[in-house]
Each structure stands twice: as structure tokens, then as C-alpha cells.
Amino acid sequence: MSEPEKVSAPENVSAPEQFDVIVVGGGPAGSTLASLVRMKGARVLLLEREVFPRYQIGESLLPATVHGVCRLLGVTDVLAAAGFPVKRGGTFRWGARKQAWTFSFAVSPRVASPTSYAYQVERSKFDKILLDNAVRLGVDVRQGHTVTGIIEAGERVQGVRFTGPDGTEGRATARFVVDASGNTSRLHPNTGGRREYSQYFRSLALFGYFEGGKRLPEPISGNIVSAAFDSGWFWYIPLSSTLTSVGAVVHRSMAEKVQGDPETALNALIKECPMIDDLLENATRVTSGQYGKLRVRKDYSYHNTRFWRPGLILIGDAACFVDPVFSSGVHLATYSALLAARSINSILAGTVAEEPALHEFEARYRREYSVFYEFLTSFYQMNRDEDSYFWEAKRITRSEHYTEFESFVELVAGVASGETALSDAQSMVEHLTKRADELASAVEDVAGGEPGGASAMLRSSVVKQAMHEGSQVQMRALLGEAAVREAPLFPGGLVPSLDSLTWEPSAPA
């Protein structure tokens, strides 16, 4: 796909509309950032090329989004009234044991009741709730508007060109343009960076929707099910009492399994996975409406080498995305929006300079991305099956992965694990192998029903890391001004304000 046209600031043309912030994309990342910046008084324009409600792949949320970011946005009551299935954790057929086991959010004292749950959401409904909330807060939301190019002056992006539903062209300028247009972003090359796709997570997903699938017993009937099988793994997400999102993830080199007739391909994959086959025993596939089409998504793990340049910031999937086993998609989108909103609010208020504010945004977002990358790599490694091509390809000791791990070490510079010893691919492999063994041991306690097994999951380093920052967002949203000030994540770095909407310098040690 070609890049949008770059246009220098025009002369002798009618003046463009002026805003403080222009957001491109109205999904969870875009609507969250627009709302959080508007809450501090900024003039915000949001341009969305589609008209909501629109289809988007169904999503399994994490508590940090529901009880953290959504509480800051003021939509928790709306979500509670929407009737979304309650998700108390995840149920897995994964690892050495053939029996399914369940991970509960309540294993963490930080996310214990009443916040030890999330929702399974139909994105067409969830995204509209967030976008409508942005309108309520005073964001100038324009649907059916497509961004066609950027306006730049020297090194700085100053605005965008766009077309409306009737083809009318428009221009708008702002201090910041935020790209929240997702994995199909056409603006991301304008940071001067490049998008690097993961070879380790290189996969294809074939998915559709079913009516009448079985549910797990209460109180975990709303859990996501992730089931490993020889050719890969399945997700099984209950989106209502009867509607279920079902998807098979296979290695990219096994494309023949999803080519040809997709109906035949999906049915064959279902038959390969006894747990999913049983859950769909009496189900029928939806064949009409927004859920009537079988879809394929490929190469869905990547990161950009740059998340911003002066005047342009990438958030959500425009910046990075990692394999969806642990339901991290909307979490990373809304968390990055919160980070970027803090930076923009601080810069516009004149309390923090642009360079340190945006450095804090990028460093924290890369760290959170890397935490989930490390967790998911360990999670895949835990499911050892030398007879399966898919799982054999996931062995982190394979030499072809070294280049990717070298890039990963360079990407995060050790901040994900906090261990400066991770300076090369070999040390990264050894580190991930250790983490995978640690996770497998914790899972064995959970699956075997050992006393304290649930808390053993939290003792696993990669699980603790994956839950930590989200729990901080939740606690700050719940406690507000009563929250304890956080320590900086990085030496000399910034810390969130008590209202979570800006950055502040950290206090001297």
C-alpha cells in the first residue's frame, strides 16, 4: 500500500482548520487518546474513515482496560450495562498436561474482587461506546473521513489532508497528529522508521463466528479458551450467550491448510482439536451479517522502529502488535493512548518539554510491548511437542530465531526484564528458556490442583511482569488523588500525575 501524499505547508490557499491535536482513527486507541486529551481542554479533531458501528475482529479484554482506562474515560457503567460476557480469566489446553487448566485474574491481590474480571466484547459495540464517549466529551468526531496525506514543514508534521463522505477535500493543522489507524496504517512510514515483522510469531489465523457453541461451567462460562493442537492453536471467545468467535492459528508455512475452500479448511482444523470440536458439537456457523464471512489474518506480530517524530505519534496497532494468545490487543492500544495522552497534555500545558515527554511515552510503550513479547515467547516454548511442525518451529533454541532475538534485545535494551545481562541473542535464549521452565512449573501446580497453585502463577516472572503495569493503571484509576505516587520506571524518568492525565518529574531519591 502506498504512503499518503506528503504536502508542504501551502501558500496562498484558504487557511486550514486549526486544532491542538488531530487523531487519525476512531478505534479504542484513537477514541481513548482523543478523550483523555480533550479532558484537559485541548481542541481535538478525530477523523475516522468508516462509519460506526463497523466490523472489527472480536476482542477479549484485560482488567486494566475495563477498570483502569475505561474508568478514567467514565464509561464503566456503560460497559456494565451493555451485557458483555464477564471474563474471569482464561482456560487453556496448553503445556505438558492434556487436561484443560484455568488462570484466574483473582490470583493477583492487585486485581482481586471487585476488579478481578474483564469482558468479552463485540468490537462493533465496544468501539462505538468509546467513540460516542469522545463525542460526549467534546471531541470533534468526523466519521466517513479519510486521511489522504500529511502536511509538514521541515522536520515537523503540522497537519493532515482528508476527504469527506462526499469527496470534499479538507485540511487541518495541529501541534500533534496521532496515528491510531491500526495495522493498516499508511502514516507510520512518516516517522522515518520501518515496520519489522516477527519471524517467531509468523502465523496465519483463519476465523469465523458460530451460534450455539457450548459454554464452560460457571463461574468461568465467560472465559476465553485457548487450545493447542498439532497444527497450532485455537481461540474460542464467547461474545454473547450464544455467539462465539472461533479462530485457528497456524504457521505461515502451513498456508495450504487455510487455502482453497475456507469452510473445508476450518472444519478440518476443528476436527484436529478435540476440545474445540466438542465445544462446537451442536453449533452452526454464522453465514450472514457482519459475522457471516470467514476471514484470514496474516503476519500480525510486528513493531515499528520509531514511534514518533516531531508532530507525529504512533499508538496502538499503528506502532506495534504482538500475538493475541493473552488478549493483549486492546490493552496495548488503550495503554499506549494513555501514555501518549499524558505526554501531549504535559507538552501543551508547558510543564514538560516535548523530547522527554515523548521519550517517556515511547520507552514505556516499548517496555510493555516487550513484556508481552517475552511472556508469549515463554508461553509458546512451554508447549513442547517435537512431533508437531508448528510447535517445533516455536523452539527458541532454533538458530534461525537468533536474528530476531538480536533485534529484540536491541529494541528493548534490557528494560523488559530489568536484566542488563541480556546483551545478545544467546543470553536472550537462555533467559527465555529459564522463564518458560518457570512458567511450566507454575502451570503444573495450577493444572494439578496443588495447594497455592493459583498464586504460583503470579510467582512466575513473566506472568507477574505482564500483569504489573496494568494493575498500576487500575489502582491509579480507582484511587485517584488518594493514590501513592509511583517511582519512575527508568532512572531520571517521569511519573504519572495523581489524576493519571499528565507526567511529572520524579522526586529526587
Side-chain angles (χ1 to χ4, degrees), residues 29-95:
S31 57
T32 295
L33 181 133
S35 296
L36 295 176
V37 172
R38 176 59 192 159
M39 287 165 65
K40 281 296 191 179
R43 299 165 299 166
V44 185
L45 171 65
L46 187 152
L47 301 170
E48 165 57 49
R49 67 181 178 183
E50 298 189 57
V51 177
F52 285 29
R54 53 86 174 96
Y55 171 80
Q56 184 60 274
I57 184 171
E59 189 63 62
S60 184
L61 302 184
L62 294 180
T65 300
V66 175
H67 305 292
V69 175
C70 287
R71 181 173 293 275
L72 291 174
L73 295 173
V75 297
T76 50
D77 290 342
V78 180
L79 291 179
F84 296 130
V86 173
K87 169 188 173 184
R88 302 192 184 281
T91 297
F92 300 89
R93 208 329 292 156
W94 203 287

Side-chain angles (χ1 to χ4, degrees), residues 201-407:
F201 290 112
R202 196 179 186 199
S203 302
L204 289 170
L206 172 62
F207 58 97
Y209 298 81
F210 290 77
E211 281 284 346
K214 295 178 183 178
R215 295 291 179 260
L216 298 174
E218 294 294 350
I220 60 172
S221 62
N223 276 17
I224 183 174
V225 174
S226 298
F229 67 112
D230 284 349
S231 296
W233 66 275
F234 265 97
W235 74 69
Y236 186 94
I237 305 175
L239 297 176
S240 74
S241 60
T242 61
L243 179 67
T244 308
S245 170
V246 180
V249 177
V250 300
H251 194 271
R252 181 73 182 274
S253 63
M254 303 167 71
E256 72 277 359
K257 283 185 172 286
V258 299
Q259 289 176 341
D261 176 35
E263 192 87 43
T264 301
L266 183 59
N267 287 336
L269 290 167
I270 289 170
K271 292 299 181 183
E272 283 189 48
C273 186
M275 184 176 187
I276 300 300
D277 191 31
D278 176 68
L279 289 169
L280 292 174
E281 181 182 14
N282 299 313
T284 56
R285 192 177 72 79
V286 177
T287 56
S288 61
Q290 67 171 326
Y291 299 127
K293 178 182 177 182
L294 289 177
R295 294 175 166 90
V296 174
R297 186 170 177 179
K298 60 184 179 180
D299 279 342
Y300 51 71
S301 292
Y302 55 85
H303 72 269
N304 277 64
T305 57
R306 293 186 64 178
F307 285 4
W308 68 278
R309 66 174 272 200
L312 176 64
I313 304 170
L314 309 182
I315 63 173
D317 293 0
C320 59
F321 186 81
V322 70
D323 190 278
V325 172
F326 201 60
S327 310
S328 57
V330 169
H331 164 66
L332 288 174
T334 56
Y335 177 69
S336 67
L338 173 60
L339 296 178
R342 287 173 179 167
S343 297
I344 292 171
N345 287 338
S346 301
I347 296 165
L348 294 179
T351 57
V352 181
E354 183 169 309
E355 181 78 21
L358 292 177
H359 175 76
E360 189 74 29
F361 149 73
E362 179 161 358
R364 284 185 180 244
Y365 192 19
R366 287 193 185 281
R367 182 186 188 279
E368 190 72 352
Y369 171 83
S370 67
V371 162
F372 278 91
Y373 186 105
E374 184 175 329
F375 169 77
L376 293 167
T377 304
S378 301
F379 199 68
Y380 271 110
Q381 175 72 1
M382 183 185 72
N383 198 83
R384 299 179 178 90
D385 187 345
E386 295 180 0
D387 296 327
S388 162
Y389 177 80
F390 180 89
W391 295 105
E392 173 65 14
K394 290 292 183 286
R395 288 180 60 188
I396 61 178
T397 53
R398 288 169 65 100
S399 61
E400 60 262 40
H401 295 322
Y402 280 24
T403 300
E404 174 154 343
F405 291 147
E406 286 174 343
S407 298

Side-chain angles (χ1 to χ4, degrees), residues 19-232:
F19 297 87
D20 296 309
V21 180
I22 299 169
V23 181
V24 182
S31 57
T32 295
L33 181 133
S35 296
L36 295 176
V37 172
R38 176 59 192 159
M39 287 165 65
K40 281 296 191 179
R43 299 165 299 166
V44 185
L45 171 65
L46 187 152
L47 301 170
E48 165 57 49
R49 67 181 178 183
E50 298 189 57
V51 177
F52 285 29
R54 53 86 174 96
Y55 171 80
Q56 184 60 274
I57 184 171
E59 189 63 62
S60 184
L61 302 184
L62 294 180
T65 300
V66 175
H67 305 292
V69 175
C70 287
R71 181 173 293 275
L72 291 174
L73 295 173
V75 297
T76 50
D77 290 342
V78 180
L79 291 179
F84 296 130
V86 173
K87 169 188 173 184
R88 302 192 184 281
T91 297
F92 300 89
R93 208 329 292 156
W94 203 287
R97 284 179 172 265
K98 298 302 181 184
Q99 299 85 2
W101 52 274
T102 294
F103 168 75
S104 171
F105 294 133
V107 303
S108 169
R110 288 196 178 101
V111 291
S113 182
T115 62
S116 55
Y117 68 90
Y119 296 115
Q120 314 282 17
V121 298
E122 293 180 67
R123 286 285 302 277
S124 58
K125 297 178 180 178
F126 176 75
D127 291 10
K128 190 173 187 302
I129 288 172
L130 296 190
L131 192 64
D132 288 348
N133 187 62
V135 174
R136 179 185 67 82
L137 291 169
V139 175
D140 184 346
V141 173
R142 303 182 193 178
Q143 300 183 57
H145 284 66
T146 301
V147 171
T148 57
I150 61 170
I151 300 170
E152 54 186 3
E155 293 299 312
R156 191 171 192 90
V157 173
Q158 291 192 330
V160 298
R161 295 162 56 89
F162 58 89
T163 58
D166 60 357
T168 302
E169 295 185 354
R171 295 180 300 128
T173 59
R175 180 79 176 272
F176 293 102
V177 173
V178 179
D179 181 14
S181 57
N183 68 304
T184 59
S185 163
R186 297 175 63 203
L187 297 184
H188 72 83
N190 291 301
T191 60
R194 64 188 182 279
R195 179 171 286 185
E196 294 188 348
Y197 285 89
S198 167
Q199 296 301 308
Y200 183 81
F201 290 112
R202 196 179 186 199
S203 302
L204 289 170
L206 172 62
F207 58 97
Y209 298 81
F210 290 77
E211 281 284 346
K214 295 178 183 178
R215 295 291 179 260
L216 298 174
E218 294 294 350
I220 60 172
S221 62
N223 276 17
I224 183 174
V225 174
S226 298
F229 67 112
D230 284 349
S231 296

